[in-house]
Amino acid sequence: MKVKVVTNILEANDRIAAENKKIFDEADVYVMNIMSGPGAGKTSLLERTIKEFSGRIKIGVIEGDIAGTDDAQRIEKLGVPVIQINTGGGCHLDANMIREVTDDLPLKDLDLLIIENVGNLVCPAEFKLGEDMKVMLLSIAEGHDKPLKYPLMFQESSALILNKIDLLPYTNVDLEKIRKDSLSLNPKLKIFEVSCKTGQGIQEWTNWVQTLVK
Amino acid sequence: MHEVSIAQGLLEIAIDNCSKQGYKGIELIKVKIGRASGVVPDSLLFAFEVLKVGTIAEKAVLTIEEIPVSGFCTKCNKNFTVEEAFVISCPLCGATSFRIETGRELNVDEMEVN
């Protein structure tokens, strides 16, 4: 017996993501899903962002990692609420993992919730979490071939943060090619050049975030 | 390796549909996977073989139909299909004004049950 099904395989995830979005909207908190390959500087960007908004915007953080609590410990030192999710081998966060921790965060007291996804330039881009916006980082030393090698994340993100810009003199990276290819894949992509080490460009980034949150 | 969660998802959909309609076993599950979906067919097949054990889909065969990336260029008014998983300009006229029509599919299409 042949049975026609025609159901999207990610439907279950998308349904939970929509529920998460409702919970976040009811608590009036803006949610950002931050993605990148490992070591691009997601946690460093969080540290810079939290320090910059200290006393102005109330931030909470969900840290996604395969194992360990190193990132959550770094964020906790800054005095903001943080939850660590360990995926135990999983290469991305999914909507259900987020749903399970929403009760553990003081959502109503927050203006901005930042979800730091598992370091991976591929899979996180495919799973909606219930966020308002996806943001990706690329550290410039990763190379200018990345947009065309990993197109999906560039297409799904609203902003691209080019981190470690202070390393520019020491690399052969073609920044213009990154810009050109990224914008070809996603003409609406907002691009920031920053260095989380020196603080260069952070102000432009946080000014933009401010316009989203308030 | 998120093919494991994809395989889990498609198994749940198939088993759910099968049970609801009162059938006892699944013989075949046909899925459509777009080339831009990021899913690696071989990994998906492997994950499916592991996860189906002990379910009513234990004897099921998974077949994957790969859907290429295609689109419509609004400048030259033509449809196009590409080999790659992405398009940055119309392969026919080079314009960047186009819309993608297929390639992101991730669907359970049909199955055979008994």
Side-chain angles (χ1 to χ4, degrees):
Chain A
M1 167 70 80
K2 194 176 272 189
V3 178
K4 201 78 185 159
V5 185
V6 199
T7 305
N8 189 295
I9 297 170
L10 291 178
E11 193 191 49
N13 182 76
D14 291 355
R15 201 174 51 237
I16 300 167
E19 288 167 16
N20 290 346
K21 175 88 171 71
K22 197 158 166 263
I23 292 169
F24 297 141
D25 285 349
E26 275 166 11
D28 201 18
V29 56
Y30 193 88
V31 182
M32 213 175 249
N33 175 7
I34 300 210
M35 311 177 292
S36 80
K42 292 184 294 302
T43 313
S44 299
L45 180 75
L46 253 67
E47 288 172 325
R48 281 279 181 186
T49 307
I50 291 165
K51 281 179 192 158
E52 189 68 34
F53 282 134
S54 172
R56 289 195 289 146
I57 288 180
K58 286 183 215 125
I59 301 179
V61 175
I62 296 175
E63 281 288 347
D65 282 292
I66 288 176
T69 56
D70 300 41
D71 286 357
Q73 283 172 18
R74 282 170 64 182
I75 299 302
E76 201 162 39
K77 277 186 193 147
L78 303 173
V80 301
V82 55
I83 303 278
Q84 176 83 51
I85 297 176
N86 281 143
T87 62
C91 56
H92 61 271
L93 293 174
D94 65 35
N96 197 43
M97 297 178 195
I98 300 302
R99 178 66 195 88
E100 281 171 13
V101 300
T102 49
D103 291 343
D104 301 327
L105 281 164
L107 291 179
K108 287 203 164 66
D109 301 335
L110 301 177
D111 302 310
L112 172 65
L113 173 65
I114 305 179
I115 302 171
E116 182 181 333
N117 219 309
V118 177
N120 176 341
L121 212 46
V122 186
C123 315
E126 306 204 8
F127 291 82
K128 291 186 188 125
L129 304 179
E131 71 279 75
D132 291 290
M133 175 179 284
K134 291 187 170 94
V135 171
M136 72 169 292
L137 273 91
L138 183 77
S139 62
I140 59 157
E142 288 172 68
H144 48 243
D145 54 356
K146 294 301 168 289
L148 296 189
K149 277 192 174 174
Y150 302 88
L152 189 63
M153 196 172 284
F154 291 82
Q155 286 167 324
E156 289 288 317
S157 299
S158 300
L160 164 65
I161 297 167
L162 297 171
N163 189 25
K164 308 190 188 180
I165 202 77
D166 52 308
L167 295 180
L168 197 54
Y170 311 104
T171 69
N172 297 322
V173 71
D174 182 347
L175 220 48
E176 267 320 294
K177 182 168 166 55
I178 296 181
R179 282 182 169 276
K180 188 172 146 280
D181 290 346
S182 304
L183 289 170
S184 301
L185 290 166
N186 179 357
K188 289 181 188 152
L189 194 67
K190 185 108 179 124
I191 302 177
F192 297 91
E193 293 178 7
V194 314
S195 165
C196 290
K197 188 180 175 197
T198 67
Q200 183 188 336
I202 294 293
Q203 193 82 52
E204 285 83 351
W205 155 250
T206 52
N207 284 348
W208 184 68
V209 174
Q210 176 119 37
T211 64
L212 301 170
V213 175
K214 291 288 167 182
Chain B
M1 270 304 278
H2 75 267
E3 278 77 3
V4 175
S5 18
I6 303 285
Q8 187 72 47
L10 80 87
L11 257 174
E12 278 166 18
I13 290 167
I15 291 170
D16 196 39
N17 268 277
C18 179
S19 316
K20 266 188 198 155
Q21 299 184 40
Y23 297 102
K24 293 195 174 64
I26 303 172
E27 290 166 3
L28 181 127
I29 303 172
K30 195 175 147 195
V31 296
K32 288 189 175 176
I33 306 286
R35 218 166 266 164
S37 69
V39 173
V40 182
D42 281 350
S43 305
L44 185 63
L45 286 168
F46 176 72
F48 178 78
E49 290 307 313
V50 175
L51 294 170
K52 73 178 186 181
V53 178
T55 73
I56 57 169
E58 181 146 18
K59 288 178 182 154
V61 174
L62 179 67
T63 65
I64 299 174
E65 183 186 341
E66 273 194 87
I67 312 286
V69 176
S70 73
F72 178 79
C73 175
T74 51
K75 193 177 174 206
C76 67
N77 282 319
K78 285 183 182 138
N79 290 298
F80 60 80
T81 302
V82 296
E83 286 299 312
E84 296 81 18
F86 58 88
V87 182
I88 57 170
S89 57
C90 169
L92 304 168
C93 76
T96 50
S97 50
F98 57 83
R99 55 172 186 267
I100 294 298
E101 296 191 325
T102 69
R104 294 286 294 274
E105 295 79 2
L106 208 54
N107 296 326
V108 179
D109 186 37
E110 60 180 35
M111 53 187 198
E112 282 188 27
V113 294
N114 57 38

